[in-house]
Coordinates of all heavy atoms in Angstrom, one line a residue:
M1 N 83.4 55.3 93.2 CA 84.7 55.3 93.9 C 84.9 56.6 94.6 O 84.6 57.7 94.1 CB 85.8 55.1 92.8 CG 87.1 54.9 93.4 SD 88.4 54.5 92.2 CE 88.4 56.0 91.1
K2 N 85.3 56.5 95.9 CA 85.6 57.8 96.7 C 87.0 58.3 96.4 O 87.9 57.9 97.1 CB 85.3 57.5 98.1 CG 83.9 57.3 98.5 CD 83.8 57.2 100.0 CE 82.4 56.7 100.3 NZ 82.2 56.5 101.8
A3 N 87.1 59.1 95.5 CA 88.5 59.7 95.2 C 88.3 61.1 94.6 O 87.3 61.4 93.9 CB 89.2 58.8 94.3
A4 N 89.2 62.0 94.9 CA 89.2 63.3 94.4 C 89.9 63.4 93.0 O 90.2 64.5 92.5 CB 89.7 64.3 95.4
I5 N 90.3 62.3 92.5 CA 91.0 62.2 91.3 C 90.5 61.1 90.4 O 90.2 60.0 90.9 CB 92.6 62.1 91.5 CG1 93.3 62.1 90.2 CG2 92.9 60.8 92.3 CD1 94.9 62.2 90.4
H6 N 90.2 61.3 89.2 CA 89.7 60.3 88.3 C 90.5 60.3 87.0 O 91.0 61.4 86.6 CB 88.3 60.6 87.9 CG 87.4 60.2 89.1 ND1 86.2 59.4 88.9 CD2 87.4 60.6 90.4 CE1 85.6 59.3 90.1 NE2 86.3 60.0 91.0
V7 N 90.6 59.2 86.3 CA 91.3 59.1 85.1 C 90.3 58.7 84.0 O 89.6 57.7 84.1 CB 92.5 58.0 85.1 CG1 93.2 57.9 83.8 CG2 93.5 58.4 86.2
K8 N 90.2 59.5 83.0 CA 89.2 59.3 82.0 C 89.9 58.9 80.7 O 90.8 59.5 80.2 CB 88.5 60.7 81.8 CG 87.3 60.6 80.9 CD 86.5 61.9 80.8 CE 87.2 63.0 80.0 NZ 86.5 64.2 79.9
S9 N 89.3 57.9 80.0 CA 89.8 57.5 78.7 C 89.4 58.4 77.7 O 88.3 58.9 77.7 CB 89.3 56.1 78.4 OG 89.6 55.8 77.0
L10 N 90.3 58.8 76.8 CA 89.9 59.7 75.7 C 89.4 59.0 74.5 O 89.4 59.5 73.4 CB 91.1 60.6 75.4 CG 91.6 61.5 76.5 CD1 92.8 62.3 76.1 CD2 90.5 62.5 77.0
G11 N 89.1 57.7 74.6 CA 88.6 56.9 73.5 C 89.6 56.0 72.9 O 90.0 56.2 71.7
G12 N 90.1 55.1 73.6 CA 91.1 54.1 73.0 C 92.5 54.4 73.5 O 92.8 55.5 73.9
F13 N 93.3 53.3 73.5 CA 94.6 53.4 74.1 C 95.5 54.4 73.4 O 96.3 55.1 74.0 CB 95.2 52.0 74.1 CG 96.3 51.9 75.2 CD1 95.9 51.7 76.5 CD2 97.6 51.9 74.9 CE1 96.8 51.6 77.5 CE2 98.6 51.8 75.9 CZ 98.2 51.6 77.2
E14 N 95.4 54.5 72.1 CA 96.2 55.4 71.3 C 96.0 56.9 71.6 O 96.9 57.7 71.6 CB 96.0 55.2 69.8 CG 96.7 53.9 69.3 CD 96.5 53.6 67.9 OE1 95.9 54.5 67.2 OE2 96.8 52.5 67.5
R15 N 94.7 57.2 71.9 CA 94.4 58.6 72.3 C 94.9 58.9 73.7 O 95.1 60.1 74.0 CB 92.9 58.9 72.1 CG 92.5 58.9 70.7 CD 91.2 59.6 70.7 NE 90.5 59.4 69.4 CZ 89.3 59.7 69.1 NH1 88.5 60.1 70.1 NH2 88.8 59.6 67.9
G16 N 95.0 57.9 74.5 CA 95.5 58.1 75.8 C 94.4 58.4 76.9 O 93.2 58.2 76.6
F17 N 94.8 59.0 78.0 CA 94.0 59.3 79.1 C 94.1 60.7 79.6 O 95.1 61.3 79.3 CB 94.3 58.3 80.2 CG 94.2 56.9 79.8 CD1 95.2 56.2 79.2 CD2 93.0 56.2 80.0 CE1 95.1 54.9 78.8 CE2 92.9 54.8 79.7 CZ 93.9 54.2 79.0
S18 N 93.1 61.1 80.3 CA 93.2 62.5 80.9 C 92.9 62.3 82.4 O 92.0 61.6 82.8 CB 92.1 63.3 80.2 OG 92.1 64.6 80.8
V19 N 93.8 63.0 83.2 CA 93.6 62.9 84.6 C 92.8 64.1 85.0 O 93.1 65.3 84.7 CB 95.0 63.0 85.3 CG1 94.9 63.1 86.8 CG2 95.9 61.8 84.9
I20 N 91.7 63.8 85.7 CA 90.9 64.9 86.2 C 91.1 65.1 87.7 O 90.7 64.2 88.5 CB 89.4 64.7 85.9 CG1 89.2 64.5 84.4 CG2 88.5 65.8 86.4 CD1 87.8 64.0 84.0
V21 N 91.6 66.2 88.0 CA 91.9 66.5 89.4 C 91.8 68.0 89.6 O 92.0 68.8 88.7 CB 93.3 65.9 89.9 CG1 94.4 66.6 89.2 CG2 93.5 66.0 91.4
C22 N 91.5 68.5 90.8 CA 91.3 69.9 91.1 C 92.6 70.6 90.7 O 93.7 70.2 91.0 CB 91.0 70.1 92.6 SG 91.0 71.8 93.1
R23 N 92.4 71.8 90.0 CA 93.6 72.6 89.6 C 93.8 73.7 90.5 O 94.6 74.6 90.2 CB 93.3 73.2 88.2 CG 92.9 72.1 87.1 CD 94.2 71.6 86.4 NE 93.9 70.5 85.6 CZ 93.6 70.5 84.3 NH1 93.7 71.6 83.7 NH2 93.4 69.4 83.7
A24 N 93.2 73.7 91.7 CA 93.4 74.7 92.7 C 93.3 76.1 92.1 O 94.2 76.9 92.2 CB 94.7 74.5 93.4
C25 N 92.1 76.4 91.6 CA 91.8 77.7 91.0 C 92.1 78.9 92.0 O 91.9 78.7 93.2 CB 90.3 77.9 90.7 SG 89.7 76.6 89.5
K26 N 92.6 80.0 91.5 CA 92.9 81.2 92.3 C 91.6 81.8 92.8 O 91.6 82.3 93.9 CB 93.7 82.2 91.5 CG 95.2 81.9 91.4 CD 95.8 82.6 92.6 CE 97.3 82.4 92.5 NZ 97.9 82.5 93.9
D27 N 90.6 81.8 91.9 CA 89.4 82.4 92.3 C 88.3 81.3 92.0 O 87.6 81.3 91.0 CB 89.2 83.6 91.3 CG 88.0 84.5 91.7 OD1 87.6 84.4 92.9 OD2 87.6 85.3 90.9
P28 N 88.2 80.4 93.0 CA 87.4 79.1 92.7 C 85.9 79.3 92.4 O 85.2 79.7 93.3 CB 87.7 78.3 93.9 CG 88.7 79.0 94.8 CD 88.7 80.4 94.3
P29 N 85.5 78.9 91.2 CA 84.1 79.0 90.9 C 83.2 78.1 91.8 O 82.1 78.4 92.1 CB 84.0 78.5 89.5 CG 85.4 78.6 88.9 CD 86.3 78.5 90.1
C30 N 83.8 77.0 92.3 CA 83.0 76.1 93.1 C 82.7 76.8 94.4 O 81.6 76.6 95.0 CB 83.8 74.8 93.4 SG 85.5 75.1 94.1
A31 N 83.6 77.6 95.0 CA 83.3 78.3 96.2 C 82.3 79.4 96.0 O 81.4 79.6 96.9 CB 84.6 78.9 96.8
K32 N 82.4 80.1 94.9 CA 81.4 81.1 94.6 C 80.0 80.6 94.5 O 79.0 81.2 94.8 CB 81.8 81.8 93.2 CG 82.9 82.8 93.4 CD 83.0 83.6 92.1 CE 84.3 84.4 92.1 NZ 84.7 84.7 90.7
A33 N 79.9 79.3 94.0 CA 78.6 78.7 93.7 C 78.0 78.2 95.0 O 76.8 78.0 95.1 CB 78.7 77.6 92.7
C34 N 78.8 78.0 96.0 CA 78.3 77.3 97.2 C 77.4 78.3 98.0 O 77.9 79.4 98.4 CB 79.4 76.8 98.1 SG 78.8 76.1 99.6
P35 N 76.1 78.0 98.3 CA 75.3 78.9 99.0 C 75.5 79.0 100.5 O 74.9 79.8 101.2 CB 73.9 78.4 98.7 CG 74.1 76.9 98.5 CD 75.5 76.7 97.9
T36 N 76.2 78.0 101.0 CA 76.3 78.0 102.5 C 77.8 78.2 103.0 O 78.0 78.0 104.2 CB 75.9 76.6 103.0 OG1 76.7 75.6 102.5 CG2 74.4 76.3 102.6
D37 N 78.7 78.6 102.1 CA 80.1 78.8 102.5 C 80.7 77.5 103.1 O 81.6 77.6 104.0 CB 80.2 79.9 103.6 CG 80.0 81.3 103.0 OD1 80.1 81.5 101.8 OD2 79.6 82.2 103.7
A38 N 80.3 76.4 102.5 CA 80.9 75.1 102.9 C 82.3 75.0 102.1 O 83.1 74.2 102.5 CB 80.0 74.0 102.5
L39 N 82.5 75.8 101.1 CA 83.7 75.8 100.4 C 84.3 77.2 100.5 O 83.7 78.1 100.0 CB 83.5 75.4 98.9 CG 83.1 74.0 98.6 CD1 82.7 73.8 97.1 CD2 84.2 73.0 98.9
I40 N 85.5 77.2 101.1 CA 86.1 78.5 101.3 C 87.4 78.6 100.5 O 88.2 77.6 100.6 CB 86.4 78.7 102.8 CG1 85.1 78.7 103.6 CG2 87.2 80.0 103.1 CD1 84.1 79.9 103.3
P41 N 87.7 79.6 99.7 CA 88.9 79.7 99.0 C 90.1 79.6 99.9 O 90.1 80.1 101.0 CB 88.9 81.1 98.4 CG 87.4 81.5 98.3 CD 86.8 80.8 99.5
R42 N 91.1 78.8 99.4 CA 92.3 78.5 100.2 C 93.4 79.3 99.8 O 93.6 79.6 98.6 CB 92.6 77.0 100.0 CG 93.8 76.4 100.6 CD 93.8 74.9 100.1 NE 95.1 74.4 100.4 CZ 96.2 74.4 99.6 NH1 96.1 75.1 98.4 NH2 97.3 73.9 99.9
K43 N 94.3 79.7 100.8 CA 95.5 80.5 100.4 C 96.3 79.6 99.5 O 96.6 78.5 99.8 CB 96.2 80.8 101.7 CG 97.3 81.8 101.6 CD 97.9 82.2 103.0 CE 99.2 83.0 102.8 NZ 100.3 82.3 103.2
G44 N 96.8 80.2 98.4 CA 97.6 79.4 97.5 C 96.7 78.7 96.4 O 97.2 78.0 95.5
G45 N 95.4 78.8 96.4 CA 94.5 78.3 95.4 C 93.7 77.1 95.9 O 94.1 76.4 96.9
G46 N 92.6 76.9 95.2 CA 91.7 75.8 95.6 C 90.8 76.2 96.8 O 90.7 77.3 97.1
V47 N 90.2 75.2 97.4 CA 89.2 75.4 98.5 C 89.4 74.5 99.7 O 90.0 73.4 99.6 CB 87.8 75.2 97.9 CG1 87.4 76.3 97.0 CG2 87.7 73.8 97.2
I48 N 88.9 74.9 100.8 CA 88.8 74.1 102.0 C 87.3 73.7 102.1 O 86.5 74.6 102.0 CB 89.3 74.8 103.2 CG1 90.8 75.1 103.0 CG2 89.2 73.9 104.5 CD1 91.4 76.0 104.1
F49 N 87.0 72.5 102.4 CA 85.6 72.0 102.5 C 85.2 71.8 103.9 O 85.9 71.1 104.7 CB 85.5 70.7 101.7 CG 84.2 70.0 101.8 CD1 83.0 70.8 101.5 CD2 84.0 68.7 102.1 CE1 81.8 70.2 101.5 CE2 82.8 68.1 102.2 CZ 81.7 68.8 101.9
Y50 N 84.1 72.5 104.3 CA 83.6 72.3 105.6 C 82.3 71.5 105.5 O 81.2 72.0 105.2 CB 83.3 73.7 106.3 CG 84.6 74.5 106.5 CD1 85.1 75.3 105.5 CD2 85.3 74.3 107.7 CE1 86.3 76.0 105.7 CE2 86.6 74.9 107.9 CZ 87.0 75.8 106.9 OH 88.2 76.5 107.1
A51 N 82.4 70.2 105.7 CA 81.3 69.3 105.5 C 80.1 69.6 106.4 O 79.0 69.3 105.9 CB 81.8 67.8 105.8
N52 N 80.3 70.1 107.6 CA 79.2 70.4 108.5 C 78.3 71.5 107.9 O 77.1 71.6 108.3 CB 79.7 70.8 109.9 CG 80.7 71.9 109.9 OD1 81.3 72.2 108.9 ND2 80.7 72.7 111.0
K53 N 78.8 72.3 107.0 CA 78.0 73.4 106.4 C 77.3 73.0 105.1 O 76.5 73.7 104.6 CB 78.9 74.6 106.1 CG 79.3 75.4 107.4 CD 80.0 76.6 106.9 CE 80.4 77.5 108.1 NZ 81.2 78.7 107.6
C54 N 77.7 71.8 104.6 CA 77.2 71.4 103.3 C 75.8 70.9 103.3 O 75.5 70.1 104.2 CB 78.2 70.4 102.7 SG 77.6 69.7 101.1
I55 N 75.0 71.4 102.4 CA 73.6 70.9 102.3 C 73.3 69.9 101.2 O 72.2 69.6 100.9 CB 72.6 72.1 102.3 CG1 72.9 73.0 101.1 CG2 72.6 72.9 103.6 CD1 71.9 74.1 100.8
G56 N 74.4 69.6 100.5 CA 74.3 68.6 99.4 C 73.6 69.1 98.2 O 72.9 68.3 97.5
C57 N 73.7 70.4 97.8 CA 72.9 70.9 96.7 C 73.5 70.6 95.4 O 72.9 70.8 94.3 CB 72.8 72.4 96.9 SG 74.3 73.3 96.7
R58 N 74.8 70.2 95.3 CA 75.5 69.9 94.1 C 75.9 71.1 93.2 O 76.3 71.0 92.1 CB 74.7 68.9 93.2 CG 74.7 67.5 93.8 CD 74.0 66.6 92.8 NE 73.9 65.3 93.4 CZ 74.6 64.2 92.9 NH1 75.4 64.4 91.9 NH2 74.4 63.0 93.5
A59 N 75.7 72.3 93.7 CA 76.0 73.5 92.9 C 77.5 73.5 92.6 O 77.9 74.0 91.5 CB 75.6 74.8 93.7
C60 N 78.3 73.1 93.5 CA 79.8 73.0 93.3 C 80.2 72.1 92.1 O 81.1 72.4 91.4 CB 80.5 72.7 94.5 SG 79.9 71.2 95.3
V61 N 79.4 71.0 92.0 CA 79.7 70.0 90.9 C 79.5 70.7 89.6 O 80.3 70.6 88.7 CB 78.8 68.8 91.1 CG1 79.0 67.9 89.9 CG2 79.0 68.1 92.4
D62 N 78.4 71.4 89.5 CA 78.1 72.1 88.2 C 79.0 73.3 88.0 O 79.3 73.6 86.8 CB 76.6 72.7 88.3 CG 75.6 71.6 88.3 OD1 75.9 70.4 87.9 OD2 74.5 71.8 88.8
A63 N 79.5 73.9 89.0 CA 80.3 75.1 88.9 C 81.8 74.8 88.5 O 82.4 75.7 87.8 CB 80.3 75.9 90.2
C64 N 82.3 73.7 88.8 CA 83.7 73.4 88.5 C 83.9 73.2 87.0 O 83.3 72.3 86.4 CB 84.2 72.1 89.2 SG 85.9 71.7 88.8
P65 N 84.7 74.1 86.4 CA 84.8 74.1 84.9 C 85.5 72.8 84.3 O 85.3 72.5 83.1 CB 85.7 75.3 84.6 CG 86.4 75.6 85.8 CD 85.5 75.2 87.0
I66 N 86.2 72.1 85.2 CA 86.8 70.9 84.6 C 86.2 69.6 85.2 O 86.7 68.5 85.0 CB 88.3 70.9 84.9 CG1 88.6 71.0 86.4 CG2 89.0 72.0 84.2 CD1 90.1 70.6 86.8
G67 N 85.1 69.7 85.9 CA 84.5 68.5 86.5 C 85.3 67.8 87.5 O 85.2 66.6 87.6
A68 N 86.0 68.6 88.3 CA 86.9 68.0 89.3 C 86.2 67.8 90.7 O 86.8 67.4 91.7 CB 88.1 68.8 89.5
V69 N 84.9 68.2 90.8 CA 84.2 67.9 92.1 C 83.4 66.6 91.9 O 82.5 66.6 91.1 CB 83.2 69.1 92.4 CG1 82.5 68.7 93.7 CG2 84.0 70.4 92.6
F70 N 83.9 65.6 92.6 CA 83.2 64.3 92.5 C 82.2 64.2 93.6 O 82.2 65.0 94.5 CB 84.3 63.2 92.5 CG 85.2 63.4 91.3 CD1 86.5 63.9 91.5 CD2 84.8 63.1 90.0 CE1 87.3 64.1 90.4 CE2 85.7 63.2 88.9 CZ 86.9 63.8 89.2
W71 N 81.4 63.1 93.6 CA 80.3 63.1 94.6 C 80.3 61.8 95.4 O 80.6 60.7 94.9 CB 79.0 63.1 93.8 CG 77.8 63.5 94.7 CD1 76.8 62.7 95.2 CD2 77.6 64.8 95.3 NE1 76.0 63.4 96.0 CE2 76.4 64.7 96.1 CE3 78.2 66.0 95.2 CZ2 75.9 65.8 96.8 CZ3 77.7 67.1 95.9 CH2 76.6 67.0 96.6
D72 N 80.1 61.9 96.7 CA 80.0 60.8 97.6 C 78.6 60.5 97.9 O 78.0 61.2 98.7 CB 80.8 61.1 98.9 CG 80.9 59.9 99.8 OD1 80.1 58.9 99.6 OD2 81.7 59.9 100.8
D73 N 78.0 59.5 97.2 CA 76.6 59.2 97.4 C 76.2 58.8 98.8 O 75.1 59.0 99.3 CB 76.1 58.1 96.4 CG 76.0 58.7 95.0 OD1 75.4 59.8 94.8 OD2 76.4 58.0 94.0
S74 N 77.2 58.2 99.5 CA 76.9 57.6 100.8 C 76.6 58.7 101.8 O 75.8 58.5 102.7 CB 78.0 56.7 101.2 OG 79.2 57.5 101.4
V75 N 77.2 59.9 101.6 CA 76.9 61.0 102.6 C 76.2 62.1 101.9 O 75.9 63.1 102.5 CB 78.2 61.4 103.3 CG1 78.7 60.4 104.2 CG2 79.3 61.8 102.3
N76 N 76.0 62.0 100.6 CA 75.4 63.1 99.8 C 76.2 64.4 99.9 O 75.6 65.5 100.1 CB 73.9 63.3 100.2 CG 73.2 64.0 99.1 OD1 73.4 63.7 97.9 ND2 72.2 64.8 99.4
K77 N 77.5 64.3 99.7 CA 78.3 65.5 99.8 C 79.4 65.4 98.7 O 79.7 64.2 98.3 CB 79.0 65.7 101.2 CG 78.0 66.0 102.3 CD 78.7 66.3 103.6 CE 77.7 66.2 104.8 NZ 76.6 67.2 104.8
P78 N 80.0 66.5 98.3 CA 81.1 66.4 97.4 C 82.4 65.8 97.9 O 82.6 65.8 99.2 CB 81.3 67.9 97.0 CG 80.9 68.7 98.2 CD 79.8 67.9 98.8
I79 N 83.2 65.3 97.1 CA 84.6 64.9 97.5 C 85.5 66.0 96.9 O 85.6 66.2 95.7 CB 84.9 63.5 96.8 CG1 83.9 62.5 97.2 CG2 86.3 63.1 97.2 CD1 83.9 61.2 96.4
I80 N 86.2 66.6 97.9 CA 87.0 67.8 97.5 C 88.5 67.4 97.8 O 88.8 66.9 98.9 CB 86.6 69.0 98.3 CG1 85.1 69.4 98.1 CG2 87.6 70.2 98.0 CD1 84.8 69.9 96.7
C81 N 89.3 67.6 96.8 CA 90.8 67.4 97.0 C 91.3 68.2 98.2 O 90.9 69.4 98.3 CB 91.4 67.9 95.7 SG 93.2 67.8 95.7
V82 N 92.1 67.6 99.0 CA 92.7 68.3 100.1 C 94.2 68.7 99.8 O 94.9 69.1 100.8 CB 92.6 67.5 101.4 CG1 91.1 67.3 101.8 CG2 93.3 66.1 101.3
Y83 N 94.6 68.5 98.6 CA 96.0 68.9 98.2 C 97.1 68.3 99.0 O 98.0 69.0 99.4 CB 96.1 70.5 98.2 CG 94.8 71.1 97.6 CD1 93.9 71.7 98.4 CD2 94.6 71.1 96.3 CE1 92.7 72.2 97.9 CE2 93.4 71.6 95.7 CZ 92.5 72.2 96.6 OH 91.3 72.7 96.0
C84 N 96.9 67.0 99.3 CA 97.8 66.4 100.2 C 99.0 65.9 99.4 O 100.1 65.6 99.9 CB 97.2 65.2 100.9 SG 96.6 63.9 99.7
G85 N 98.8 65.8 98.0 CA 100.0 65.4 97.2 C 100.2 63.9 97.2 O 101.2 63.4 96.5
Y86 N 99.4 63.1 97.8 CA 99.6 61.7 97.9 C 99.6 61.0 96.5 O 100.4 60.2 96.2 CB 98.4 61.1 98.7 CG 98.7 59.8 99.4 CD1 99.7 59.7 100.3 CD2 98.0 58.6 99.1 CE1 100.0 58.5 101.0 CE2 98.3 57.5 99.8 CZ 99.3 57.4 100.7 OH 99.6 56.3 101.3
C87 N 98.7 61.5 95.6 CA 98.6 61.0 94.3 C 99.9 61.2 93.5 O 100.2 60.4 92.6 CB 97.4 61.6 93.5 SG 97.4 63.4 93.6
V88 N 100.6 62.3 93.7 CA 101.8 62.6 93.0 C 102.8 61.5 93.1 O 103.4 61.0 92.1 CB 102.4 63.9 93.5 CG1 103.7 64.2 92.8 CG2 101.4 65.1 93.3
D89 N 103.0 61.0 94.3 CA 104.0 59.9 94.5 C 103.6 58.6 93.9 O 104.4 57.7 93.7 CB 104.1 59.7 96.1 CG 104.8 60.9 96.7 OD1 105.4 61.7 96.0 OD2 104.5 61.1 97.9
F90 N 102.3 58.4 93.6 CA 101.8 57.1 93.1 C 101.9 57.1 91.6 O 101.8 56.0 91.0 CB 100.4 56.8 93.5 CG 100.4 56.2 94.9 CD1 100.4 56.9 96.0 CD2 100.5 54.8 95.0 CE1 100.4 56.3 97.3 CE2 100.5 54.1 96.2 CZ 100.5 54.9 97.4
C91 N 102.1 58.2 90.9 CA 102.1 58.2 89.4 C 103.6 58.0 89.0 O 104.4 58.8 89.2 CB 101.6 59.5 88.8 SG 101.7 59.5 87.1
P92 N 103.8 56.8 88.4 CA 105.2 56.5 88.0 C 105.7 57.3 86.8 O 106.9 57.3 86.6 CB 105.1 55.0 87.6 CG 103.7 54.8 87.2 CD 102.9 55.8 88.0
H93 N 104.9 58.0 86.2 CA 105.3 58.8 85.0 C 105.4 60.3 85.3 O 105.6 61.1 84.3 CB 104.4 58.5 83.8 CG 104.3 57.1 83.5 ND1 105.3 56.4 83.0 CD2 103.3 56.2 83.7 CE1 105.0 55.1 82.9 NE2 103.7 55.0 83.3
G94 N 105.2 60.7 86.5 CA 105.3 62.1 86.9 C 104.3 63.0 86.1 O 104.6 64.2 85.8
V95 N 103.1 62.5 85.9 CA 102.1 63.2 85.2 C 101.5 64.3 86.1 O 101.1 65.4 85.7 CB 101.0 62.3 84.7 CG1 99.8 63.1 84.2 CG2 101.5 61.4 83.6
I96 N 101.5 64.0 87.4 CA 100.8 64.9 88.3 C 101.9 65.6 89.2 O 102.8 65.0 89.6 CB 99.9 64.1 89.3 CG1 99.0 63.2 88.5 CG2 99.0 65.0 90.1 CD1 98.4 62.1 89.3
A97 N 101.6 66.9 89.4 CA 102.5 67.6 90.3 C 101.7 68.5 91.2 O 100.6 68.9 90.9 CB 103.5 68.5 89.4
L98 N 102.2 68.7 92.4 CA 101.5 69.6 93.3 C 102.5 70.7 93.7 O 103.6 70.5 94.2 CB 101.1 68.8 94.6 CG 100.2 69.5 95.6 CD1 98.8 69.5 95.1 CD2 100.3 68.9 96.9
K99 N 102.1 71.9 93.4 CA 102.9 73.1 93.6 C 102.2 74.1 94.4 O 101.0 74.4 94.1 CB 103.4 73.7 92.3 CG 104.4 72.9 91.5 CD 104.9 73.7 90.3 CE 105.8 72.9 89.5 NZ 106.0 73.4 88.2
E100 N 102.8 74.6 95.4 CA 102.2 75.7 96.2 C 102.5 77.0 95.5 O 103.6 77.3 95.2 CB 102.8 75.7 97.6 CG 102.0 76.4 98.7 CD 100.7 75.7 99.0 OE1 100.7 74.5 99.3 OE2 99.7 76.5 99.0
V101 N 101.5 77.8 95.3 CA 101.6 79.1 94.7 C 101.3 80.2 95.7 O 100.2 80.1 96.3 CB 100.7 79.2 93.5 CG1 100.9 80.5 92.8 CG2 100.9 78.0 92.5
E102 N 102.2 81.1 95.8 CA 102.0 82.1 96.8 C 101.1 83.2 96.2 O 101.2 83.5 95.0 CB 103.3 82.7 97.3 CG 104.0 81.7 98.2 CD 103.2 81.3 99.5 OE1 102.5 82.1 100.0 OE2 103.3 80.1 99.8
Ligands
LIG1 S1 87.2 72.0 92.4 FE1 87.2 72.8 90.3 S2 86.4 75.0 90.6 FE2 87.0 74.2 92.6 S3 89.1 74.9 92.9 FE3 89.2 72.8 92.0 S4 89.3 73.0 89.8 FE4 88.7 75.0 90.7
LIG2 S1 77.0 70.5 97.6 FE1 77.8 71.4 99.6 S2 79.8 72.2 99.1 FE2 78.7 71.9 97.1 S3 77.8 73.9 96.7 FE3 76.2 72.6 97.8 S4 76.5 73.2 99.9 FE4 78.3 73.9 98.9
LIG3 S1 96.2 65.8 96.2 FE1 95.4 64.2 97.7 S2 93.2 64.6 97.9 FE2 93.9 65.6 96.0 S3 93.6 64.1 94.4 FE3 95.7 63.8 95.1 S4 95.6 62.2 96.7 FE4 93.5 63.0 96.4

């Protein structure tokens, strides 16, 4: 599935679910791991992805501490959250929030 957000079952309905989505790190390990500067730290946290620079090495996938870099097999590149906040409006329980941090 091509999405920058995934919901993982914690093992049964009683245990619940965990939402895996980019936490917009202040000092993003994914950007540090990228050998081609295809991921550049973004003002306010997280990263901006420059697909034209990406060589598909998957270093960012391994570097993200929460596993929030997903993979698009069709183009062999990562799927990076663009912090659009679209997902926030779709969650009826207000589990997700998008906050700009200066
Ligand atoms: S993808 Fe992972 S490492 Fe990169 S900014 Fe988001 S949470 Fe941090
Ligand atoms: S897959 Fe692309 S964005 Fe990720 S570390 Fe490698 S070159 Fe950088
Ligand atoms: S903020 Fe936008 S790009 Fe990021 S997970 Fe939500 S809908 Fe997807």
Side-chain angles (χ1 to χ4, degrees):
M1 187 173 60
K2 285 187 194 179
I5 181 168
H6 286 231
V7 179
K8 187 173 77 176
S9 169
L10 297 178
F13 206 74
E14 282 176 11
R15 288 199 190 168
F17 299 86
S18 177
V19 176
I20 303 171
V21 66
C22 176
R23 303 272 169 97
C25 304
K26 275 271 181 209
D27 193 15
C30 57
K32 279 189 191 154
C34 180
T36 62
D37 288 338
L39 292 170
I40 299 295
R42 175 182 167 273
K43 193 174 166 247
V47 287
I48 298 170
F49 177 50
Y50 294 92
N52 57 333
K53 288 188 176 175
C54 175
I55 56 170
C57 70
R58 287 182 183 253
C60 52
V61 176
D62 295 335
C64 177
I66 60 165
V69 177
F70 301 103
W71 199 253
D72 185 348
D73 283 318
S74 64
V75 292
N76 202 36
K77 292 184 196 302
I79 301 167
I80 303 290
C81 175
V82 295
Y83 319 102
C84 64
Y86 207 62
C87 52
V88 177
D89 293 337
F90 274 89
C91 178
H93 304 292
V95 169
I96 310 161
L98 190 78
K99 285 186 185 165
E100 197 68 48
V101 181
E102 288 306 319

